[in-house]
Amino acid sequence: MPLSSTSSINNRSENDEQIQTIVKNNDSQAKSDIGANIVLIGAPGSGKGTQSTRLVDRYQICHISTGDLLRQAAQDKTSVEGQKIRETIEAGSLVDDDTVMSLIEKNLTKPECHNGVLFDGFPRTIYQGEQLEKLLQSKQKHLDAVLEYAIEDDLLKRRILGRLIHKPSGRTYHEEFHPPKEAMKDDITGEILERRSDDTNETLNARLKTYHKQTTPLIEFYRQRNIHRLVDATQKISEISKQSIENINHLRQQSTSITQQIPARQTYDDGKILKIKSLPNQLDVDKNRLSNNFLSIYNSVTSVLRDRGII
């Protein structure tokens, strides 16, 4: 075999090995980047549902909506719990917190929740927040981030009260932001568009009043734990997603740093605590040195790939 052919094969082999190494490194980085426990807070019409879908996909976690859990449980006509929930909902009452927590705990054990959970519409009160905190701690878990999607009530009302729907197809429109070609008519069939039955000014005012009354103290509850971040929900969907991910990643790193700390050593004398002394984490390393090492490796790899004509 000619020398040039042997050299070419060797070069290709080296390139393949280098590419495989890079792919493995990227896979490792991707695996370390999945998983999170998140709470989303937002008034009706704030875009919370859209962001939920994106974040669940981004972090490969499960989505828990208490509304969905209660509806599913109410359909179970074989269990006592399902019957109790169904009767409560039909009576127009609120399902008690213990029942809701029981449903959440059952769902946390599902395989799809292994990487973490996005809680949508829960908790709503400080008591629920405390119960959720205890539940996660019992499973050696904790919340990484609480995102509040902030938007003025007036804009929310414009968003919600202008919604139109073509029921047969499910196509949606908006009087202001996405109007049909002809007022109150579906673009495809020409059939009359409708509004949702609960999209009224009276209903919305009541929902917003309840939302602010419940969530204002809850937000302060999470601020004290330094895991709350506010996101401007009036921006483009892509920008809201970007800021949400940035906030979650920052808070995850913060919580990881905290949980990696070794508990304080307590010194006792005749059963009394004399002194509490924090111990340094044996796993702590110089972050600047890590960054420099990474940059050095990255520059070396890119240099080789550039010389080989790969990049």
Side-chain angles (χ1 to χ4, degrees):
M1 181 179 294
L3 183 60
S4 58
S5 298
T6 303
S7 176
S8 176
I9 291 173
N10 289 338
N11 286 340
R12 282 201 300 271
S13 178
E14 290 177 8
N15 292 342
D16 290 342
E17 290 178 2
Q18 290 166 350
I19 292 172
Q20 288 174 5
T21 300
I22 292 171
V23 169
K24 288 180 180 178
N25 289 339
N26 288 338
D27 286 344
S28 298
Q29 184 178 4
K31 288 178 181 178
S32 67
D33 203 30
I34 64 174
N37 293 307
I38 307 164
V39 165
L40 296 190
I41 298 175
S46 62
K48 183 161 52 70
T50 300
Q51 296 304 321
S52 294
T53 303
R54 291 180 168 223
L55 294 174
V56 164
D57 182 62
R58 169 64 176 76
Y59 293 103
Q60 299 180 32
I61 56 180
C62 69
H63 177 262
I64 289 184
S65 164
T66 50
D68 292 341
L69 292 183
L70 291 171
R71 282 187 287 272
Q72 291 169 6
Q75 292 173 0
D76 183 3
K77 298 180 180 180
T78 62
S79 71
V80 175
E81 185 179 58
Q83 182 180 353
K84 177 185 175 183
I85 292 172
R86 185 168 58 257
E87 291 174 351
T88 303
I89 293 175
E90 289 174 353
S93 303
L94 293 175
V95 178
D96 65 275
D97 289 334
D98 290 340
T99 301
V100 174
M101 290 305 303
S102 174
L103 292 174
I104 290 176
E105 184 171 11
K106 290 176 183 176
N107 277 265
L108 286 179
T109 61
K110 291 183 176 180
E112 58 265 33
C113 296
H114 175 73
N115 291 329
V117 186
L118 185 144
F119 296 96
D120 182 359
F122 186 88
R124 295 179 183 271
T125 65
I126 289 179
Y127 176 76
Q128 291 177 349
E130 291 172 339
Q131 294 304 303
L132 178 60
E133 201 170 63
K134 290 178 182 178
L135 174 60
L136 291 175
Q137 287 175 352
S138 71
K139 299 181 180 301
Q140 288 77 50
K141 297 181 180 180
H142 62 274
L143 281 179
D144 295 296
V146 176
L147 301 185
E148 176 194 356
Y149 293 114
I151 183 172
E152 293 293 332
D153 285 357
D154 288 342
L155 180 53
L156 278 176
K157 291 179 181 179
R158 284 167 55 195
R159 282 186 178 183
I160 293 176
L161 297 180
R163 295 189 298 199
L164 302 169
I165 186 171
H166 179 247
K167 284 191 175 180
S169 67
R171 283 186 288 274
T172 58
Y173 301 86
H174 194 282
E175 287 179 323
E176 181 180 354
F177 305 119
H178 178 50
K181 295 176 182 176
E182 187 175 349
M184 293 302 296
K185 289 187 178 181
D186 178 50
D187 288 349
I188 308 299
T189 66
E191 295 172 342
I192 296 298
L193 300 175
E194 301 178 42
R195 300 182 192 277
R196 298 179 183 178
S197 59
D198 58 347
D199 281 357
T200 66
N201 198 52
E202 294 75 16
T203 302
L204 184 55
N205 281 335
R207 291 173 70 188
L208 288 173
K209 183 178 180 180
T210 301
Y211 168 77
H212 291 305
K213 182 179 179 180
Q214 289 182 334
T215 57
T216 298
L218 181 65
I219 288 168
E220 183 58 31
F221 172 80
Y222 283 123
R223 276 179 179 160
Q224 291 176 3
R225 283 153 175 74
N226 197 27
I227 56 174
H228 166 273
R229 292 294 183 273
L230 187 143
V231 179
D232 181 1
T234 65
Q235 305 174 96
K236 292 181 179 179
I237 292 175
S238 58
E239 186 60 31
I240 296 173
S241 296
K242 178 185 175 184
Q243 289 188 13
S244 297
I245 291 169
E246 288 175 350
N247 280 317
I248 292 169
N249 289 345
H250 173 74
L251 289 168
R252 279 198 317 168
Q253 292 174 357
Q254 170 183 286
S255 64
T256 300
S257 174
I258 292 172
T259 54
Q260 282 181 347
Q261 291 178 4
I262 294 177
R265 174 182 290 165
Q266 298 177 347
T267 304
Y268 295 85
D269 182 23
D270 295 330
K272 296 181 180 179
I273 299 176
L274 293 179
K275 184 169 60 176
I276 297 178
K277 186 182 297 183
S278 295
L279 297 179
N281 189 342
Q282 300 298 320
L283 298 177
D284 281 346
V285 292
D286 187 335
K287 293 181 179 178
N288 290 329
R289 182 161 55 83
L290 273 179
S291 298
N292 290 335
N293 289 343
F294 173 80
L295 288 174
S296 176
I297 294 170
Y298 174 82
N299 290 332
S300 298
V301 172
T302 53
S303 177
V304 171
L305 295 179
R306 192 176 292 109
D307 289 341
R308 302 294 186 184
I310 297 175
I311 60 174

